[in-house]
Amino acid sequence: MIKRIALSILILAAASSALRAQDTTDAVYENIQHEYLLRPDGSTLYSYSSKLKLLTPFAFTREYGESFITYNPKWQTLDVTRSETTMRDGSVVPSPVNAYNEVLPRSAAHAVPFNHLREMVVTHTGLEAGAVVDFAYTLESKPGMYPGLMGRVVCGSRNHVVQMSIRVVVPEGTELQWGFARDDIQPVITTEAGNTVYTWTRKHIPQYETEAHQSAPQRVLPVLYFSTSNYDAIALHVFGPEGPRPLPPHVLELGEMINRQHATPLASALALRDWVAKRVGRCSVPLDLIGYRARPVEEILEFNVGSDLDRAVMLAQLCRSIGLEASPVLFSHDVTTRGMRIVQMPGEQGPVITEIGPEATPNVPALQLFTHAGVICQGLGEYPLIVLDPSLDTQGGPCPSQYTTGYFMPIEGLPPQIWHYAIGPSYSTSSMTSDWSLGGDGYVSGRSSISVNGVHSAVFDSSGFQKSARASLVNAAQGLHAEAGPMTVQQGTTSVCEVSVDAKDPLKGIGGYFRFQIPLPPEGISALHLPIGDYNRITPVSLPGRMKEETRLVLHLEGYHAVDVPSPVEFQNNIGSIRSVIKADAHDVEVTRVLTIDVDEVKPEGYVDLQALLRAWRNPSHNTLLFKQN
């Protein structure tokens, strides 16, 4: 009898384990197929098909119940060739006529020149646990939408993929360049009906789960890039054979007027960036959907809206019209470290440019490799080079965070380069040093010095930095008022601001205790709200770079004394280090807190170390001071 009970327990445990393993995903792709065909006339045909098996009732969501296809009708023709669901009992339920609905993509809303874009929404029916959704479509593109056949395929999904195949078919004799980011899988090359066929096959690709503060899948998973074009053809494609059109006279006059209003080339460049960012509407449509074509400035101004590429090209032309050395660039984050040669540019704030060697991948002339558009501007006084990004409402420092490391391509005929922008120190540091007093009447007052550098540098945005500096202090106690002084710049990338603090109301006690919140500096690690929890991480935690957050506070006491002063916390692990020390005597409380993260991405295996740092940093006893009156 005892043996039977033990056996039953083992069977139940095994079944429970199997259910838990299955429940980690709501659906699984049994098969995904991508095929790209280049025809002799230059037109292309993309064919997609997939079979998605629903495993749980939780799969009955918008993610699985609908498919979305965004396309450009001026250049492309869409044909949904199959949309049906095979239910558990084997019956097949096709999507009805009213399951096909075309809408305007959200990114093209309020942008008249882009109102021709479409998104096909296909609703799947007959959904239940155990059902299989069979979906397929083709997208035919006219010659000239891209300079040749080119594309990008992310090898993975939010669900487990049993098998994925990628076929690229080109006429025999056509050179195909290809490269993988984060993988080196080789294709099987065959010939079919006068075509050369490249086939990549991957099996059992783990799901890329949705988790907080993670990188986009294309930044982590293997990605295939391919192209039959070259960089010279790309430059011709973006602008057309005649190049960018000259700026109209009234736009030239605008640039000259803005230039006359500013004393330095740097100030003029930033003012032109602000004008484009705030006066020309932004359409955030993906660049591949519009074929990476820059529209003429006259059209941009006529409708007062442009894509990120339109606005970058316009800004570069405005900068050049007043004598600045500026170039529009396309930018990518997909880089590898193989076959690179580092070239140190002059100047402490200058970039480090790494040339691409023959072994570096993905060194592929595929426009889909580049997802951002900006402007590189040189010769601006103490800044040998800055990156202007008109897609931002305001630009804080010489290089916005999305441009600090990656792969950029000038779109006026130069070869691409690997890029790392040296923005000062190796760590982005947010620091606060305060000298405050708590008077016998319960009022708090004092001064704080706040500094920020690195990717959150605000040397070009003094008002924004002053606002964030004030906001970081007012929650320390009841009724606090903060007044920020002028911002100063140190070493080109460090923003410094002195803030005076006084209280309109005294501290309020509860049960004889008075609570004081230790202030934190702005734009630091705490502002990221990184996730912690009692679970294992599956995907990396994305960070803007290596970071350091520092708080130093001396609080002078009159008529109060500190209670329950916590013991120091100080340790280091594979992710970073923490030092939190609070000292108190009859007259003063001294706080020293430093949190450092030494990596720019936390791998799943390092998540436990990140949790340890964040838990210690967020410990209420090290963030709150308690006082009693003498």
Side-chain angles (χ1 to χ4, degrees), residues 290-312:
I290 57 175
Y292 285 83
R293 291 179 177 273
R295 294 163 52 239
V297 173
E298 294 92 332
E299 292 184 17
I300 298 172
L301 296 178
E302 178 183 357
F303 296 97
N304 198 37
V305 67
S307 68
D308 288 344
L309 177 60
D310 293 334
R311 287 150 49 102

Side-chain angles (χ1 to χ4, degrees), residues 291-461:
Y292 285 83
R293 291 179 177 273
R295 294 163 52 239
V297 173
E298 294 92 332
E299 292 184 17
I300 298 172
L301 296 178
E302 178 183 357
F303 296 97
N304 198 37
V305 67
S307 68
D308 288 344
L309 177 60
D310 293 334
R311 287 150 49 102
V313 171
M314 179 180 179
L315 176 58
Q317 288 183 276
L318 278 169
C319 289
R320 286 201 293 254
S321 73
I322 61 171
L324 301 180
E325 186 178 350
S327 174
V329 298
L330 292 171
F331 196 88
S332 170
H333 291 282
D334 260 338
V335 297
T336 68
T337 56
R338 293 187 298 163
M340 299 181 184
R341 298 187 298 277
I342 296 177
V343 180
Q344 177 68 55
M345 297 291 285
E348 293 183 359
Q349 283 78 45
V352 177
I353 294 180
T354 310
E355 298 175 351
I356 298 175
E359 297 180 358
T361 58
N363 182 16
V364 179
L367 281 164
Q368 289 81 358
L369 178 59
F370 305 94
T371 55
H372 300 293
V375 176
I376 289 180
C377 204
Q378 304 183 56
L380 301 178
E382 63 178 311
Y383 299 97
L385 185 150
I386 68 173
V387 180
L388 300 174
D389 185 358
S391 70
L392 302 174
D393 291 336
T394 58
Q395 179 162 336
C399 187
S401 59
Q402 64 264 38
Y403 297 94
T404 53
T405 301
Y407 184 59
F408 83 93
M409 179 180 67
I411 49 181
E412 295 178 308
L414 298 176
Q417 296 170 306
I418 299 296
W419 156 284
H420 173 67
Y421 193 91
I423 51 176
S426 57
Y427 287 81
S428 294
T429 302
S430 182
S431 176
M432 176 186 294
T433 301
S434 303
D435 189 285
W436 291 11
S437 297
L438 174 58
D441 54 4
Y443 285 84
V444 176
S445 62
R447 297 187 65 83
S448 295
S449 177
I450 299 175
S451 67
V452 172
N453 63 24
V455 296
H456 294 299
S457 171
V459 295
F460 301 153
D461 183 22

Side-chain angles (χ1 to χ4, degrees), residues 104 107-117 281-285 303 305-306:
L104 180 70
S107 59
H110 311 296
V112 173
F114 303 94
N115 283 174
H116 64 283
L117 301 176
R282 180 191 179 213
C283 179
S284 59
V285 60
F303 296 97
V305 67

Side-chain angles (χ1 to χ4, degrees), residues 26-27 53 88-89 93 161 217 243 310 329 334 359 423 434 439 461 483 517 592:
D26 294 321
K53 184 173 185 178
R88 266 198 314 251
D89 62 3
V93 181
V161 180
D310 293 334
V329 298
D334 260 338
E359 297 180 358
I423 51 176
S434 303
D461 183 22
E483 190 67 35
Q517 186 75 31
T592 302

